[in-house]
Structure formats: C-alpha cells, structure tokens
Amino acid sequence: MTPNRPYLLRAFYEWIVDNDCTPYLVIDADYPDTKVPPQFVQNGQIVLNMAPSAVSQMQMGNDVLSCSARFGGHPFALYIPVKAVLAIYAKENGAGTVFTLDEDETDMDDFDEQMDEEMTGKPSTPAKSKSGKSHLTVVK
C-alpha cells in the first residue's frame, strides 16, 4: 500500500482549518531536500504556521508540500517532503497528530524475515503456488 502520511496530513489540515483553528506543522529541517529558512530552525526542527492567511500557493501532494510564506517580512518558497513532516496540530488547543515512520521507510519485509529467522533459527521462505507467486496458507 502507499504511505498514509500524505492523506492523514491533508485530512488533519482540513479538519483543523474547518474548526477555525490555526494549523501548525513541525518539520524535520534536516530531512533531504527540505527547504525552510535556516535562521528559524532550532534543534533541527522548525514549526510553521500553515494557516491559509499565512501562506500562499500551497500544494499538498503525496510526496511534497510546497507554498510561499513570509518570514520577518521576507517571502520564502517552502519545499517540504511529506516525510519531513513530524507533526500537525492546532495552535489553539494542540489537537492533531504526530507521525511515525511509515512502512516504506523501514523495510518491513526484511524485518519480518529477520524476526522469523530469529524465532525459528532458519531462514523463512514464503510458500509458492503453482504459478510461482506467493500465497497465504491457513494455519490451524
């Protein structure tokens, strides 16, 4: 499945705005390709006011969030990979969510195989059907 972070990010953003609150994003400023004003980064993170009145030309895609915002009166083009978004919350009441690593960021297949090997002492190999494709087997 595709990562759920971009979908959740858009949903939480709309929910916060629909409830007349101010959406804030916590961004990992050190994440590759992230473009935020470095003078406002603290401890590798930046908190951004993403209210519709605070940004312009915002686009939230599945991979990247981009918009223009003003910092100290100067315009800045923000470019934020969705994976760099650590949290979204409402300024007024803190309602929102913190994002964890997506399954695509940790190779779950390798993890599952490693766990199988550790528990059984032998490498795991998925059962193959006559067509050569993996299939599930019911274990009773």
Side-chain angles (χ1 to χ4, degrees):
M1 291 186 69
T2 59
N4 62 13
R5 184 181 303 209
Y7 300 94
L8 294 172
L9 180 60
R10 286 189 292 266
F12 272 97
Y13 180 85
E14 289 181 27
W15 175 65
I16 291 168
V17 170
D18 286 351
N19 283 281
D20 296 321
C21 292
T22 310
Y24 273 40
L25 295 182
V26 180
I27 306 298
D28 176 357
D30 296 328
Y31 193 87
D33 299 325
T34 302
K35 305 236 181 331
V36 294
Q39 65 270 32
F40 295 99
V41 173
Q42 295 180 351
N43 300 319
Q45 297 180 354
I46 186 169
V47 178
L48 301 172
N49 174 351
M50 299 301 288
S53 61
V55 298
S56 63
Q57 301 171 332
M58 184 165 72
Q59 294 185 356
M60 276 193 205
N62 287 344
D63 297 317
V64 173
L65 182 154
S66 63
C67 64
S68 181
R70 299 187 75 77
F71 294 87
H74 302 294
F76 192 94
L78 296 169
Y79 184 88
I80 303 162
V82 171
K83 290 180 182 178
V85 179
L86 302 174
I88 182 170
Y89 65 94
K91 173 188 173 191
E92 292 77 6
N93 60 17
T97 192
V98 175
F99 294 105
T100 58
L101 289 177
D102 288 330
E103 286 187 11
D104 67 319
E105 294 177 66
T106 59
D107 191 339
M108 292 305 290
D109 292 334
D110 288 346
F111 177 76
D112 289 341
E113 286 178 21
Q114 181 182 3
M115 292 306 294
D116 286 345
E117 286 178 29
E118 287 180 15
M119 294 179 76
T120 64
K122 58 184 177 180
S124 65
T125 54
K128 300 284 182 179
S129 66
K130 290 181 183 177
S131 67
K133 295 182 181 176
S134 295
H135 69 276
L136 297 175
T137 304
V138 176
V139 178
K140 293 182 180 182

